[in-house]
Amino acid sequence: MGSFVALLDSTVVNVALPAIRADLGGGLAGQQWVVNAYLLMLGSLILIGGSLGDVYGARRVFAIGVGGFGAASVLCAAAPSIELLVAGRALQGAFGALLTPASLAIIVAAFPGEERGAAIGSWTAYSGIAALVGPLAGGSLVDALDWRWIFAVNVPFVAVTLALTARMPALANGGDGRRRPDWAGAALCAAGLAGPVFGLIQQPRHGWASAMVAVPIVAGLAVFAVFVAWERRARDPMLPLGLFARGNFAWGNVETLSLYGGLGATFFLLVVFLQQTGGLSALEAGMATLPSTLALFLLSRRFGALADRHGPRLFMGGGPLVCACGVLLLVALVDRDPSLLLEVVPGVAVFGLGLAITVAPLTAAILADADEHNAGIASGVNNAVARVASLLATASIGAVVGGTLDLGGFRMGLLFAGALVALGGAIGLARIRNPRRRVAARECPGGQLHGQPEPAWSGDGQAARASGREARDAVGPGGGAMSR
């Protein structure tokens, strides 16, 4: 229920952005910050959030994450200004980085190896349900009541979750203290990402030559370089750089950065444009995202099975190119007065088909390039990369469209998103090789979109025990990517 609440909230925010802008102002930049404040904190802290459960106990960290997320939701619901709403979203992201890793760590601790796969499957299913329900529930609340209800509705769920947490068994409550949280690394990562994000969002207003743009970008890049240097020397780094020496892991994460960046940009642009320019309701805009989610549910495991037989390379190359075709359909068909069924659904459905072709082979190829004892860390890193990809792509939208999301800006932004996903396909075709360790792609049907991929956790009992601590350190959220 805790993970469901976090993902439900993240999936409903995009459909509420036009209503938030109408009430609180802030323009396109304000809408970007409502999304990016959450992604910035989530992407920066998700790896260290996992390690905190190992140090202080998964149940304790989970309870703090749930309670904090609920309190931040109240702040968002009551925010009198766009600035306070952004602050509340940042707090949601920080507590979400505690909540979701600890939720899966509790499952790992509570269930024996032979039962763990089914338990993780149930956990993942709730992520999928949230991805389906979120846009529809959010659109209904915005249309019938007010955008503030998309945050206020979290409170009863949080209260029930905390009551259930108090009844969790003691085995999920104790940390072993063997790993130290990398606080310095987390701070450097957050600051390094915040600089470019701030500069990119300010660019349409001030121009590239302005100190308000250039200084944050340069400073952020410098801080991020310090972060990389720190991670090389830290005793317990939140980002194990040694994994990037392996080809499929390194290039698979580069493809993840490109593909998930295009995904985040596409759905941000689509949902906002359909309401602000196209005149559709929030519910109709939420419905526009459903074809891609359904395509993943229905087809992803099947394409994963095909990739297990034929290798991931062609799927990781061809899938993003299909996504790019879906984006081009949206560019060609969607007009100022769009028809949801005739102009929007075809492009979104093709985009979803491309995702279904790609995400399971992509995740499996990355996990297969890690050893079994650090597969959990590998999956957590890939999850964090997916969140950062959406963060950077969404921050870039204003610079691409010129600060105005009219039809021309919408099409220009979609071409930018399509170029990102196509680049991911080119990387897959050129750089991915058949994995050296077999990880079943059919067991990663949601990739980093819905739930943590099973190979990082289940496997046989011996491998699961060997990877227990690494897994608790590195688990990522079930569907933050879908929060775009």
Side-chain angles (χ1 to χ4, degrees):
M1 184 171 287
S3 300
F4 176 85
V5 171
L7 183 58
L8 181 70
D9 189 81
S10 64
T11 57
V12 304
V13 168
N14 274 8
V15 299
L17 290 176
I20 292 172
R21 175 179 178 173
D23 189 15
L24 300 182
L28 178 60
Q31 293 174 313
Q32 289 172 284
W33 274 117
V34 170
V35 174
N36 284 341
Y38 180 87
L39 290 174
L40 175 63
M41 300 306 292
L42 184 66
S44 301
L45 301 178
I46 191 65
L47 291 176
I48 193 172
S51 67
L52 290 176
D54 192 43
V55 176
Y56 300 110
R59 186 173 74 173
R60 183 178 296 112
V61 172
F62 178 76
I64 293 172
V66 171
F69 194 90
S73 297
V74 173
L75 176 61
C76 291
S81 66
I82 193 69
E83 292 80 10
L84 284 178
L85 176 58
V86 169
R89 289 285 290 158
L91 286 174
Q92 279 190 320
F95 285 110
L98 302 180
L99 186 165
T100 38
S103 68
L104 200 48
I106 288 171
I107 294 175
V108 171
F111 287 88
E114 64 272 13
E115 298 177 6
R116 191 173 298 142
I120 293 173
S122 298
W123 180 84
T124 304
Y126 278 97
S127 300
I129 292 170
L132 278 172
V133 171
L136 300 180
S140 299
L141 288 172
V142 172
D143 288 341
L145 298 172
D146 186 81
W147 65 264
R148 297 179 186 274
W149 281 94
I150 69 170
F151 300 109
V153 75
N154 293 338
V155 175
F157 287 99
V158 166
V160 172
T161 305
L162 289 175
L164 293 173
T165 304
R167 302 183 61 182
M168 285 181 181
L171 59 88
N173 195 40
D176 56 24
R178 291 178 293 173
R179 184 175 176 89
R180 296 180 182 178
D182 184 12
W183 295 112
L188 288 170
C189 182
L193 291 171
V197 168
F198 180 85
L200 287 169
I201 291 178
Q202 294 299 314
Q203 190 279 333
R205 182 184 303 175
H206 300 285
W208 289 110
S210 170
M212 289 286 290
V213 176
V215 172
I217 291 177
V218 172
L221 293 176
V223 172
F224 200 81
V226 175
F227 163 70
V228 173
W230 171 264
E231 294 302 286
R232 290 184 182 276
R233 304 182 61 180
R235 172 187 164 181
D236 293 310
M238 61 179 266
L239 183 64
L241 298 176
L243 285 172
F244 288 91
R246 301 173 178 181
N248 274 10
F249 183 86
W251 287 108
N253 276 291
V254 173
E255 179 171 350
T256 298
L257 190 70
S258 185
L259 174 66
Y260 282 73
L263 168 68
T266 296
F267 284 100
F268 177 90
L269 288 163
L270 182 64
V271 173
V272 173
F273 173 82
L274 290 178
Q275 295 179 76
Q276 289 184 179
T277 303
L280 272 65
S281 68
L283 177 59
E284 290 172 322
M287 291 175 63
T289 68
L290 290 183
S292 64
T293 305
L294 290 173
L296 277 167
F297 283 169
L298 297 175
L299 301 174
S300 187
R301 190 176 293 273
R302 296 184 181 183
F303 281 111
L306 289 173
D308 290 337
R309 290 203 299 267
H310 304 291
R313 178 172 173 266
L314 290 178
F315 297 89
M316 292 173 62
L321 298 180
V322 174
C323 288
C325 291
V327 174
L328 290 178
L329 272 177
L330 290 172
V331 173
L333 295 178
V334 176
D335 210 333
R336 287 185 176 85
D337 186 21
S339 164
L340 188 64
L341 183 61
L342 299 179
E343 299 180 18
V344 178
V345 167
V348 175
V350 172
F351 191 93
L353 173 63
L355 287 178
I357 294 171
T358 309
V359 293
L362 170 62
T363 304
I366 289 172
L367 294 180
D369 218 29
D371 298 321
E372 288 190 358
H373 74 275
N374 58 20
I377 291 178
S379 185
V381 170
N382 185 235
N383 206 292
V385 169
R387 311 305 152 213
V388 171
S390 292
L391 167 69
L392 295 176
T394 307
S396 303
I397 285 174
V400 173
V401 306
T404 303
L405 200 56
D406 55 11
L407 181 61
F410 172 68
R411 290 174 172 169
M412 184 65 67
L414 283 183
L415 290 174
F416 164 70
L420 284 178
V421 294
L423 175 61
I427 292 169
L429 288 173
R431 304 302 305 184
I432 296 300
R433 300 293 180 265
N434 287 335
R436 60 187 179 86
R437 179 173 70 84
R438 185 180 183 278
V439 173
R442 65 180 181 276
E443 299 301 331
C444 311
Q448 300 295 359
L449 295 172
H450 304 300
Q452 192 74 4
E454 288 185 26
W457 298 94
S458 50
D460 58 46
Q462 182 178 358
R465 287 190 295 272
S467 63
R469 182 163 68 92
E470 288 87 348
R472 287 194 301 273
D473 293 344
V475 70
M482 294 296 284
S483 69
R484 287 160 314 263

